[in-house]
């Protein structure tokens, strides 16, 4: 049996892998199920009810307004001061208008597949990426911690081949899982949209855009899994990867934000990893500097800085290459015993 097939089987039989897979599937299923109950299809009956409610509220507001105007005019006729209580001109300038009571504001929430599903692709990608990171880190970290890596190298004394095969087995598993679960995730939300939402305006171009979003999600899950694997290999322990992840998050999301705020750096969020993650999924992230806008001179447009998905690809690509190269370099030179 080849080393690759052996590693695939060992990864699939690990308790951590199976537990994380169960949690992942249950989590995604819970999100989809709970969300399906929050959406309601806008049938003609529902729309008519909303229009009736809007009209009733408008008529009620008009009745109250007319009564207040009449009371104000009666008070003025008695010589009373009314401006403080009823406003200038007895509030006649504030007559309710029909456009203040649009029926769309009375409609229940309806899931729009075309407009909202890309957001759920990002949710899916984050969930699978977390699975890949933990499973990947545990896969190689446990080998180092228990001595299994040394035993494996006695059977196959090629360090880089062994580590590379393990990484290939992990990425193959994450790839297959992402594709299968991604298809089920898309089908689930398409079913929700068909039964309790809207699938309108789904053109070939929209499906192509969703497909590209799916590819970006796939790329992110593979990248995160590979980085988790590389960090655990560098530290010879699963906790190394988890600790590094917490440290990177703290430095990026807290430390850098505080530093750029204190130093007054313009567009400080361009140095934060979450900005690049947002840009990767949304194709771009636009940052604003409202300090450049002189509101005393009236409305103005603040200075902007755009982070593109291509820039995100460079940042994440450098991080991936750096982590993987470091893992293989230390694997080659370290004392295995």
């Amino acid at each position: 049996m080849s080393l690759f097939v052996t590693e695939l089987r060992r990864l699939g039989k690990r308790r951590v892998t199976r537990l994380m897979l169960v949690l992942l599937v249950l989590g995604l299923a819970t999100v989809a199920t709970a969300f399906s109950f929050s959406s309601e299809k806008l049938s003609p009956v529902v729309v008519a009810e909303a229009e009736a409610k809007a009209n009733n509220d408008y008529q009620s507001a008009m009745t109250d307004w007319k009564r207040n105007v009449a009371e104000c005019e009666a008070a003025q006729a008695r010589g009373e001061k009314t401006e403080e209580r009823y406003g200038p001109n007895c509030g006649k300038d504030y007559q309710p208008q029909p456009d203040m009571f649009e029926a769309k504001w009375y409609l229940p929430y309806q899931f729009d597949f075309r407009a909202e599903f890309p957001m759920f692709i990002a949710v899916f990608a984050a969930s699978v990426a977390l699975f890949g990171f933990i499973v990947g880190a545990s896969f190689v970290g446990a080998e180092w911690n228990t001595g299994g890596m040394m035993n494996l190298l006695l059977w196959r004394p090629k360090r880089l081949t062994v580590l590379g095969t393990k990484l290939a087995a992990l990425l193959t598993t994450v790839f297959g899982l992402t594709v299968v679960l991604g298809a089920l995730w898309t089908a689930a939300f398409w079913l929700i949209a068909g039964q309790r939402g809207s699938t309108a305006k789904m053109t070939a171009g929209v499906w192509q855009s969703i497909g590209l979003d799916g590819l970006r999600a796939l790329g992110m899950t593979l990248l995160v899994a590979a980085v988790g694997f590389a960090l655990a290999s560098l530290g010879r322990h699963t906790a190394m990867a988890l600790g590094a992840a917490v440290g990177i998050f703290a430095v990026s999301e807290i430390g850098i934000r505080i530093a750029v705020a204190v130093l007054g750096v313009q567009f400080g969020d361009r140095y934060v990893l979450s900005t690049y993650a947002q840009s990767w999924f949304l194709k771009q992230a636009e940052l604003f500097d409202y300090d450049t806008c002189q509101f005393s001179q009236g409305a103005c447009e603040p200075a902007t800085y755009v982070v593109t998905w291509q820039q995100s690809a460079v940042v994440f690509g450098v991080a991936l290459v750096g982590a993987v190269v470091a893992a293989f370099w230390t694997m080659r030179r370290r004392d295995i015993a």
Side-chain angles (χ1 to χ4, degrees), residues 283-320:
K283 303 180 182 68
Q284 69 175 32
E286 192 170 7
L287 308 179
F288 300 94
D289 182 9
Y290 290 99
D291 292 335
T292 62
C293 192
Q294 302 297 326
F295 290 102
S296 61
Q297 301 177 5
C300 68
E301 293 293 332
T304 60
Y305 182 89
V306 177
V307 178
T308 65
W309 70 267
Q310 291 91 339
Q311 291 173 301
S312 299
V314 172
V315 170
F316 292 134
V318 169
L320 172 63

Side-chain angles (χ1 to χ4, degrees), residues 17 41 70 77 88 90 97 143-144 154 173 186-187 202 204 206 227 234 246 296 300 305 324:
T17 303
K41 201 172 190 65
C90 286
Q97 301 297 321
E143 293 280 357
W144 285 114
L154 290 176
T173 300
T186 303
M202 288 301 298
V206 174
V227 169
L234 281 169
V246 172
S296 61
C300 68
Y305 182 89
V324 172

Side-chain angles (χ1 to χ4, degrees), residues 50-51 53-55 97-107:
E51 292 174 345
K53 290 179 181 178
N55 184 63
Q97 301 297 321
D99 58 4
M100 298 178 181
F101 302 88
E102 296 186 22
K104 64 180 181 181
W105 297 337
Y106 295 80
L107 292 171

